[in-house]
Amino acid sequence: MRVVRAGAAAGLLWAALPLCAQAPTTAAALYEQLRSVGLDATAVYHIRDADLDIPGAHVSFTDGQIAFTQAVGGQVTGAFFAGEGEVLVVPPNRAERASLGLFTGAAVLEEKFFSAYLRFNGNTREQLKPFLRSSGNGSDFAARWNEMAKNLAEGDALRLLLTASRDLPVQDSSKPSLGAVSDHFLHARMQGAKLGVFDLFYDSWLPEPVSVGKLSEAGGASYYDQWLSFVPRRQEAVADAGFEAARISKVRIRAEVAPPREFRSNTELTLQAAANGERCLLFELSRALRVEQVEVNGKPVEFLHNPSLEGSQLARRGNDLVAVIFPRPLIAGETLNLRFVYHGEVLSEAGSGLLWVGARGTWYPNLGFVDADFDLQFHYPEGWTLVATGIPAPAEREMGIVTQDPAMTQVARWVTERKIPVAGFNLGKYAKASARAGDVLVESYAASGVERSFPRMPMQVTPVPGEPGTAAVQFPPAVSPARNAQAVADQAAEALAAYARQFGPYPYGTLSLTQMPGSLSQGWPGLVFLSSYAFLTPEERVQLRLEPVSATMSAQVAAHEVAHQWWGDLMGWHSYRDQWLFEALANYCSLLLLERRDPAAFRMVMERYRDDLLRKSKDGAPLSEAGPVTLGLRLSSSRFPEGYIAISYGRGTWLFHMLRTMINEAATGGDARQAAEEEPFVRVLRSLRQEMEGKSVTTARLLHAFEEELPPSLRYDGKQSLAWFLDGWVNGKAVPGLQLKGVRIVRGANRATVSGALEQKDAPADLVTSVPIYAIVPDQPPQWVGRVFVDGAESSFRLTAPVNTRRIVLDPEGTVLAQPR
């Protein structure tokens, strides 16, 4: 940082700043001021050669004017700058440099800006103090930009409320305050010279404090393109999952469901404080629900129910928010009981007795995915079937129903057998079918019809023989998922039994699969929302004219969601960068069942995933350029709206396929398919499940599990490490082209020696790929002779092959994600 002596004049100028306004006494008043605060006409300055050092970023105000916002609760929380400035952010690794380059065309963010709106807590104003001088037209400047500043204030108001709420009057002084944790927040929305309006965030409470992004539109939809997100280098040693103020250990819900839309709930949370000093917690809850009351330890407390805001840091949490204000600062380790009373239209009706409950986690207040015990009881009317997370339990009557509605004649209670990260329920007019997988009961619930938006089967028009000009019109039978409910139950039971043999016992007491409108499915512990498409018979898929690959994928959905019971529910992901593990692994497990039943169909699906990655967008870039799997939901952007599905599912599935075939071939001399339970690949996953169940898993931890079984032939540079796979394939995005060059075959008495080079194109210079080589011999299938590491553009090799080898080929089984040859 540049050192400037402020001098006496600057000190007197700073002393002239306005005195703090009277502090608000309620959170509502405090929030209202934070979300609408304007500029202070008496706090406008000329600023020159000022540097604002933020961990991981640097902002310079070269020359211009700056107006600070009015004080809120005794603190100045923002400023507006106009003039000339520059921001510099250097991404810490190749993946983030590539992400930045995708949106800006440069690997380093070095952008001049003409204006910037700042929101902050802490000492940001003090950092700028030495660079401020009096300004002659302060009132005009403040008047010009005041309305814009007030409009932008709302975006960060909730985040700043977390800080400012600590100064609210204490209503309960029975326990002393022990001080708060470190809290540093800054948001700069800048008008760049070339990049337009974009955001720079630093938030010390986030796992990755530094982020840069921009709100964009494409195809009529809005996206928040996150260009960068990372931990500053000087904080890497202490980086963890981010700040956690509290953790929920038990959820008790007593709800009333009135189809087709109304939902009313009385939800109790048992919560443990994890930090000292916090006065405000943000709970996720749908904006479609209206909170009537919140109690803490039996006493009503203040709360604010506020929708998340596009482009704000909080919006990335994915749900709407309820801010609960505690009567005194929390003390780490203490237990509190919270009660929320709320109602609203959280359900959606899709026709044919099908309801849609909404996105995961939004129907009850929560602090994100944290393992807890759930006790769920529902009242609902006759004629409907309700299925929820957990196992059925006797209903409790002591709380009564939430309202005394006589139509709520049915009651059902569900209790979880173990702590789970998230709970759900579904309601419909279902027919039920059941099957068993050992001692586990598998039940399938399907409606007699499909949603209104479901595609209609085409009519069949055929000429009448002997009657020219006439035709017979045949209407196919209506789609009825209930007719296929038994087949779905049987498929799910078969998958469950297979996974239990491979990965260990099924984690929950029962498994229920309920029909859900739309093309997407969703897994919860012990409960699966299964797309209507999954309930189609093979004949119905033909009648709907689903092309073969799509029809095959639809048939695998039940097995995919069952696999999530192990990968995603029993174990979770550590951060968004690890979420791909469980989507891809659940997908690959379902495809392994397909491979053993129909190898040709398996290869067809894998080829589709590869072709999707190579498919070009409107601007000519292949979909693989959206980024590596470790970007998670960041992959879906204005540049690549379909990026998350294609990369997390498609490329992720290929990564597991590459791992499996490498591990299995090296251990068995080329036979990648053995008895499923005996495969080295499966053995590693079974061991991982035993060690990590109930915990969160990182990408590095999963690869370490495979490293422990890594045979010598797969040790690049002689190291028992998959660092080359992590760097080039997991954190990379290449789909290389591979081909053989200069192959020579020298035959000896009993064996042949083959040599040559392996060329790798359309890939980074340091990409390392393990490629299987096979020998072609007369009247026999291709014979595996070994693997070659191609490092960069070209690598030579020398292998031993059968004496009657006619030629060699690379990867005839298609086990490496590469361009088609």
Side-chain angles (χ1 to χ4, degrees):
M1 177 181 292
R2 184 180 293 106
V3 177
V4 176
R5 296 186 181 275
L12 290 172
L13 173 64
W14 195 254
L17 281 172
L19 296 176
C20 297
Q22 184 176 359
T25 58
T26 66
L30 180 59
Y31 175 69
E32 182 59 33
Q33 289 190 25
L34 287 170
R35 69 191 291 264
S36 60
V37 64
L39 300 179
D40 186 343
T42 68
V44 181
Y45 307 96
H46 179 225
I47 185 170
R48 185 174 183 182
D49 293 335
D51 293 331
L52 190 59
D53 276 314
I54 309 161
H58 186 85
V59 178
S60 298
F61 300 96
T62 308
D63 191 34
Q65 283 184 290
I66 189 168
F68 290 94
T69 58
Q70 297 163 341
V72 176
Q75 301 296 322
V76 173
T77 63
F80 188 90
F81 167 83
E84 296 181 8
E86 187 171 7
V87 59
L88 175 65
V89 184
V90 180
N93 55 55
R94 181 167 61 187
E96 291 300 326
R97 289 192 293 271
S99 176
L100 179 64
L102 176 67
F103 297 105
T104 69
V108 173
L109 178 63
E110 190 172 9
E111 174 81 346
K112 293 185 181 300
F113 61 86
F114 302 128
S115 66
Y117 177 68
L118 309 177
R119 290 307 294 275
F120 48 77
N121 60 17
N123 65 346
T124 298
R125 189 181 70 170
E126 292 293 325
Q127 290 185 51
L128 297 176
K129 175 181 175 180
F131 309 100
L132 303 178
R133 298 294 183 271
S134 61
S135 177
N137 58 345
S139 297
D140 293 343
F141 182 86
R144 179 181 178 186
W145 299 109
N146 186 57
E147 195 62 30
M148 178 181 289
K150 294 180 69 173
N151 291 337
L152 293 173
E154 188 172 14
D156 300 301
L158 268 180
R159 174 59 181 89
L160 291 171
L161 178 65
L162 297 180
T163 303
S165 62
R166 301 190 193 111
D167 295 324
L168 288 171
V170 174
Q171 302 169 16
D172 177 3
S173 57
S174 60
K175 293 185 179 181
S177 174
L178 300 179
V181 297
S182 175
D183 176 8
H184 182 193
F185 171 80
L186 183 138
H187 171 201
R189 173 160 288 186
M190 306 177 183
Q191 175 68 54
K194 295 181 296 184
L195 301 176
V197 177
F198 63 95
D199 297 298
L200 166 66
F201 286 97
Y202 178 84
D203 191 341
S204 62
W205 282 8
L206 295 181
E208 296 176 355
V210 180
S211 63
V212 182
K214 179 177 182 176
L215 188 64
S216 303
E217 291 190 3
S222 295
Y223 300 87
Y224 193 86
D225 296 336
Q226 194 158 328
W227 302 349
L228 291 171
S229 181
F230 62 90
V231 180
R233 293 193 184 278
R234 64 192 185 199
Q235 297 180 4
E236 287 177 348
V238 296
D240 56 16
F243 173 69
E244 183 180 54
R247 178 179 289 254
I248 296 170
S249 62
K250 185 174 181 179
V251 180
R252 190 171 188 266
I253 297 175
R254 297 297 180 261
E256 184 181 85
V257 187
R261 295 183 180 276
E262 187 67 21
F263 178 84
R264 180 176 292 275
S265 181
N266 188 323
T267 295
E268 296 179 354
L269 307 178
T270 301
L271 179 141
Q272 282 77 41
N276 291 321
E278 296 312 303
R279 291 290 306 279
C280 177
L281 293 181
L282 298 181
F283 293 86
E284 298 175 349
L285 188 67
S286 170
R287 75 180 70 184
L289 294 167
R290 180 183 175 186
V291 179
E292 301 169 13
Q293 185 173 4
V294 179
E295 295 178 356
V296 175
N297 294 339
K299 297 181 179 179
V301 296
E302 190 178 7
F303 66 89
L304 301 169
H305 194 181
N306 188 74
S308 58
L309 300 165
E310 290 295 334
S312 74
Q313 195 80 343
L314 290 169
R316 300 172 202 178
R317 293 174 60 166
N319 294 330
D320 301 338
L321 300 166
V322 179
V324 174
I325 315 303
F326 292 84
R328 59 165 174 79
L330 299 182
I331 299 174
E334 70 174 315
T335 298
L336 302 104
N337 296 306
L338 278 72
R339 178 173 173 263
F340 293 76
V341 179
Y342 54 93
H343 73 278
E345 296 185 351
V346 75
L347 299 110
S348 298
E349 196 268 332
S352 301
L354 284 173
L355 298 182
W356 163 239
V357 179
R360 294 174 66 128
T362 61
W363 65 280
Y364 62 90
N366 66 87
L367 296 174
F369 288 3
V370 178
D371 286 347
D373 296 309
F374 285 81
D375 183 338
L376 317 173
Q377 183 163 296
F378 302 89
H379 294 263
Y380 55 101
E382 215 47 58
W384 294 82
T385 299
L386 188 143
V387 187
T389 305
I391 57 174
E396 291 185 344
R397 296 292 182 180
E398 79 279 4
M399 288 183 65
I401 53 178
V402 179
T403 64
Q404 302 298 321
D405 187 343
M408 302 293 115
T409 57
Q410 296 194 86
V411 58
R413 182 176 174 225
W414 304 76
V415 178
T416 54
E417 316 125 277
R418 62 191 300 164
K419 291 183 181 297
I420 60 174
V422 64
F425 76 96
N426 213 1
L427 186 75
K429 294 185 176 181
Y430 299 128
K432 182 175 76 172
S434 62
R436 282 199 171 271
D439 295 333
V440 180
L441 176 64
V442 178
E443 294 180 320
S444 171
Y445 296 84
S448 59
V450 292
E451 55 269 27
R452 289 184 291 266
S453 59
F454 200 84
R456 296 183 62 184
M457 290 183 175
M459 296 181 297
Q460 297 176 356
V461 181
T462 56
V464 176
E467 298 184 24
T470 62
V473 178
Q474 182 178 1
F475 292 90
V479 176
S480 175
R483 288 199 299 262
N484 203 33
Q486 186 62 54
V488 170
D490 292 340
Q491 293 166 11
E494 180 183 355
L496 189 151
Y499 299 148
R501 291 191 299 269
Q502 295 172 27
F503 311 127
Y506 175 66
Y508 311 106
T510 61
L511 176 64
S512 300
L513 302 98
T514 67
Q515 182 186 350
M516 184 175 76
S519 59
L520 299 179
S521 299
Q522 194 172 64
W524 315 64
L527 174 65
V528 172
F529 291 178
L530 204 57
S531 164
S532 293
Y533 284 88
F535 285 89
L536 298 177
T537 66
E539 294 76 20
E540 287 169 338
R541 293 188 180 102
V542 172
Q543 289 176 328
L544 280 175
R545 296 177 181 172
L546 294 179
E547 48 90 21
V549 178
S550 297
T552 299
M553 290 178 172
S554 295
Q556 292 299 120
V557 170
H560 173 110
E561 296 300 335
V562 172
H564 269 310
Q565 302 296 304
W566 282 263
W567 315 115
D569 292 326
L570 179 62
M571 285 182 287
W573 52 88
H574 182 71
S575 78
Y576 77 93
R577 294 185 182 272
D578 310 301
Q579 188 172 354
W580 76 273
L581 290 174
F582 298 97
E583 295 298 351
L585 185 52
N587 198 45
Y588 191 57
C589 287
S590 72
L591 292 179
L592 291 185
L593 300 181
L594 175 65
E595 182 188 37
R596 295 181 181 278
R597 185 174 68 248
D598 189 345
F602 170 83
R603 286 199 63 169
M604 181 175 63
V605 172
M606 296 301 293
E607 289 171 359
R608 165 62 63 85
Y609 284 139
R610 179 204 61 199
D611 293 344
D612 284 347
L613 291 171
L614 297 174
R615 178 165 46 90
K616 294 186 177 180
S617 62
K618 292 181 179 179
D619 60 4
L623 199 51
S624 60
E625 288 298 309
V629 290
T630 48
L631 291 189
L633 293 173
R634 290 170 56 186
L635 291 163
S636 290
S637 67
S638 61
R639 289 288 308 277
F640 296 102
E642 301 173 356
Y644 176 72
I645 297 296
I647 305 297
S648 292
Y649 287 78
R651 185 181 181 89
T653 298
W654 265 103
L655 294 180
F656 277 109
H657 190 45
M658 293 171 68
L659 276 173
R660 171 176 171 248
T661 52
M662 284 191 297
I663 295 288
N664 289 356
E665 284 179 356
T668 61
D671 184 8
R673 290 185 294 273
Q674 311 142 58
E677 296 78 21
E678 299 173 5
E679 283 192 14
F681 175 79
V682 171
R683 188 169 63 242
V684 169
L685 293 178
R686 186 162 57 244
S687 176
L688 184 71
R689 175 253 165 90
Q690 293 170 354
E691 180 184 347
M692 299 298 293
E693 66 175 74
K695 301 177 182 177
S696 58
V697 180
T698 65
T699 298
R701 177 62 188 89
L702 181 132
L703 289 181
H704 179 66
F706 285 101
E707 288 174 340
E708 293 176 340
E709 295 257 346
L710 205 62
S713 60
L714 285 178
R715 298 180 184 179
Y716 176 66
D717 279 346
K719 298 176 182 177
Q720 192 173 347
S721 169
L722 286 170
W724 61 271
F725 190 78
L726 174 65
D727 293 341
W729 286 93
V730 175
N731 287 325
K733 55 186 180 180
V735 181
L738 300 170
Q739 67 179 32
L740 292 165
K741 288 180 58 179
V743 175
R744 294 185 61 200
I745 301 176
V746 179
R747 293 176 178 83
N750 299 313
R751 305 290 292 172
T753 299
V754 296
S755 60
L758 202 57
E759 186 179 55
Q760 183 170 244
K761 300 183 296 183
D762 300 325
D766 57 352
L767 180 68
V768 176
T769 306
S770 176
V771 184
I773 304 294
Y774 283 72
I776 303 299
V777 298
D779 304 321
Q780 293 185 39
Q783 297 189 28
W784 183 82
V785 296
R787 279 186 168 265
V788 174
F789 281 107
V790 54
D791 183 352
E794 185 175 301
S795 295
S796 59
F797 64 87
R798 185 181 181 88
L799 298 169
T800 300
V803 68
N804 55 344
T805 296
R806 296 291 179 86
R807 61 190 178 91
I808 62 169
V809 295
L810 60 85
D811 193 27
E813 295 293 318
T815 65
V816 178
L817 176 58
Q819 298 173 20
R821 296 184 295 279

